Amino acid sequence: MSSIKQVINDAVEKVRQPNPIRLRDLIRQIRSAKTAAEERAVVNRECAYIRLTFREEDSVWRCRNVAKLLYIHMLGYPAHFGQMECLKLIASPRFTDKRIGYLGAMLLLDERQDVHLLITNSLKNDLNSSTQFVQGLALCTLGAIASPEMSRDLAGEVERLLKSSNAYIRKKAAVCALRIICRVPELMEMYLPATRSLLSEKNHGVLITGVTLITEMCRQSPDMLAHFKKIVPNLVRILKNLIMAGYSPEHDVQGVSDPFLQVKILKLLRILGCGDSEASETMNDILAQVATNTESSKNVGNAILYETVLSIMDIKSESGLRVLAINILGRFLLNADKNIRYVALNTLLRVVHADNSAVQRHRSTILECLKDADISIRRRAMELCFALINGNNIRTMMKELLTFLEKAEPEFKASCSSKCVLAAEKYSPNVRWHIDTLLKVVEAAGNHVPDDVVSSTIQLISETRTEQAYAVGELWRHLSIAQMEYQPMIQVATWCIGEFGDLLLSGHADVTVVESELIDIYQKILWSSQCSITTKEYALTSLMKLSARLTHEIGSIQQVVSAFGSHLNIELQQRGIEYSQLFTRHNHMRGPLLERMPPFEGTRAGTEQDKATITNGVDTPLDNESLLNDLTSPNNNAHETSESNALLDLLGGMEPGDSDTIKSTSTSISLTVASTPSVNADILDLLGGLDSGPAASVPTTNMNEAPPTQLPNSSNAAYLLDGLLNNSTPIISSPSSPVTNSAGTIPTSNSIYPLVLQKSSIPGITAYDKNGIRLDMAFELQETLITINLIASNNTGAQVTDFLFQAAVPKVPLRMRIKLSWLANGSPVQDQGEISNFPSALWQ
Amino acid sequence: MMHYLLIASKSGNIQFSHYFTYITPSSRTPIEARVITKCLGAEKDACHFLEDGDHTLIFRWFGPCLFIVAADHTENEIMIYEFLSLYVGALHRYFGKFSERHVLLNIDRLHMVLEEMVVGGELVESSIRNALTPIQVLDTVSSR
């Protein structure tokens, strides 16, 4: 009776709680869900059911439930409640349970959690199990999720298994050891003896993993690398057997026997031979053999050839072999398969610096790749083209690159245009071509031009007197048809037209322009909603300059400018108002104020890297700060370009004649001033002559107004002074006319500092007193910043002009080497010296 | 070293994923979505190697299934391309006639076969026969 009741109960139970559905049924259910909400409902229902069964500790179906949980987890739903269940599965004796348990552990467990450590014990037991499959399973999991603690615990077990007689186990143990070494590099020595025997295997699986293990060891530690150099002959032998051996069905892939092993061996040979000529010699033959015998009609063959080429290029191979490698790459380039072409371009990029001439032969193919439909190939081809440019092929290359630039995607345009500018800078055959190219770059790149291209273009045009007419004519042509949305072009064009408008109007530029056309275009730019504020700033300033060049339309210019006096943007409003003043109150100054600017000096985009030049004031105020810092930390070479050749000269460096980029070693001590050239001229005359003329306050201003500012007659001295001396004082008229060297000071100030030799606790020194010139220095120390005020006095009683003071401060201790030169009564005087009598209080 | 292997459908749904290096589950979904979109966007005969951050993506179509592997830049891309072919060949041999249906319904087997061939991101076994033997043995044992 009771047993019948039992049976009935069981049956009822079974109907009420059926077996959990199988994984594939769950998958079917989820996939048949039509909407995301439906899918979520199915998943949530199943998750709830699984959670219930986990709570009930049902070990029969645990395996199935965890499998379902893993699937749900893959879809992206949270599954962390299954982690403990995985552990229970791992501990179970049944193999199917263990399998799912370890899989779950691999996919769900995070090594940052504590649950992770609980597996360690199970792993240890399983590693010692008698079944090879259980051991293999444990090794697999350990290889996948080894954390540093686990690695340390189980490293010994893995090492023991590495010497096991079972190839299946050895294979997995080797990869496990690999992962352990990656996590805990100190354990590397433990595995060293076992690896010796790994290479004398017949089993390819063990060979592959052994080679990978050795590769990783060599990569991590140079000692290991040296140790393993002696296995090169073994590797060569294995590779030879692979190639020579006949067909082996289990390792054959598309006619090549075990390409995976071949590639691994080639990689290891590369690491072993890199930089070592002896090892490289041993490999030469086999590499040549592989390169010539491998069939390139199949993809696997190409994979092997690719690896061979990489190896040949990295080791110290003989030149014949290198030529062979480049030829293989050339063949790859012509392959129809895009993958192969991509790989070839990639590799050529790596070798082009070493073997430029060999790669040049394939230039035309590379240029073809620029037009390929595939974006990866185009990108690689572009980089490669830039690496191949030299003086001979610059014209053809640039033509292709400009076509490429026009059609390129925006992310390419910026880098392509700046590289074009660099290349043009280095290799342009003549100036007109250079200007043409820069203009084309600005036009083709639209709005994606980096900022330095605009200033480089402007600088180039302002430097070359002869081409200015041509340039401005071209720019006018572009401007009259230009779209208002491409700012850089408009900026360059307006600047040039403003500067050289007279050339345009007088017909020098081969275009006929009427003044009213000019004004129309300017009005269009200034009122266009598409032009940026910076462009309008350019346009407004250039319009003002035109007012000094044009004859008829001055009235309309004045109207336009004064209209801007009520613009919403502060900068434009300020300009509008100030420029309007130039028409009304200061009309007499307008002409000389707006004269042609002298050419810029200083770096352009390309010259910076190659030649050590000084930076122009065009750059940001930050330059000044860093130059100032140079005083306090003379070791600070962060701003390399601030060291001029003259500096090096002082320090006993190179001849001044070496570099042709020393811009004027001009005469006067410069000032930094705003863009008012004619005012500058007066002041500089004043200073340069060291006359006891009427004192004029020298406005020392921010070096970086709206671009571009200029530094008339800037000398090398200025920047040295900027760095080393920190004062700004005006001229004070007095019989002996002491003149202070002004410098670009704390740039934001527009004020004038009165001459104050501040009373400071540190005594001043007389640095130099000879030939009638005397240099006095006064020091101030604020925490770690030393400020030196220098006063140079002319005691000769005669006029001294073209006074130049240059100083260099080598590292420590604090001393200064100086070089002075001036014209006394027309005859040049020069002197050098060293100042070492700085008070010791300075470097406390 | 390989970082992960994904199988996606033509419509962009993920059907199978195996990670060789640990990535937190929450960040897996956006990574997968991004990677699959990139690979789906490539044309038929375009280059099969793309870049995604500091991984190279190698993808290959097998029928309606898209297989994607992410690997380091130092890996031989063509070799991984061939490895995908090897893996699919192994699945073919195991299931008899591999199709998309098998991917859907036998995810655990896919994991196992993959584990036999790749451990911790490194290739372990290049021979299909050797890789499948343990699994086939276990299948016969467990079905008895």
Side-chain angles (χ1 to χ4, degrees), chain B residues 66-86:
Chain B
L66 173 66
F67 285 66
I68 306 173
V69 168
D72 291 331
H73 282 314
T74 50
E75 281 287 338
N76 185 332
E77 294 99 340
I78 312 186
M79 216 60 235
I80 299 193
Y81 195 75
E82 285 304 311
F83 161 71
L84 283 174
S85 169
L86 188 77

Side-chain angles (χ1 to χ4, degrees), chain B residues 7-23:
Chain B
I7 305 183
S9 68
K10 243 187 230 167
S11 49
N13 297 329
I14 183 129
Q15 293 172 338
F16 172 82
S17 72
H18 190 106
Y19 285 83
F20 301 111
T21 49
Y22 184 77
I23 305 179

Side-chain angles (χ1 to χ4, degrees), chain B residues 66-133:
Chain B
L66 173 66
F67 285 66
I68 306 173
V69 168
D72 291 331
H73 282 314
T74 50
E75 281 287 338
N76 185 332
E77 294 99 340
I78 312 186
M79 216 60 235
I80 299 193
Y81 195 75
E82 285 304 311
F83 161 71
L84 283 174
S85 169
L86 188 77
Y87 180 51
V88 172
L91 293 175
H92 212 79
R93 185 95 72 87
Y94 181 64
F95 288 112
K97 192 167 179 288
F98 182 62
S99 67
E100 189 182 10
R101 205 169 46 87
H102 288 105
V103 173
L104 296 176
L105 303 178
N106 292 293
I107 297 191
D108 46 341
R109 301 291 148 131
L110 258 66
H111 279 294
M112 286 168 209
V113 174
L114 188 56
E115 263 166 46
E116 285 295 324
M117 300 183 83
V118 179
V119 173
E122 302 285 348
L123 183 69
V124 166
E125 185 59 63
S126 61
S127 147
I128 300 181
R129 199 176 70 185
N130 293 348
L132 292 181
T133 316

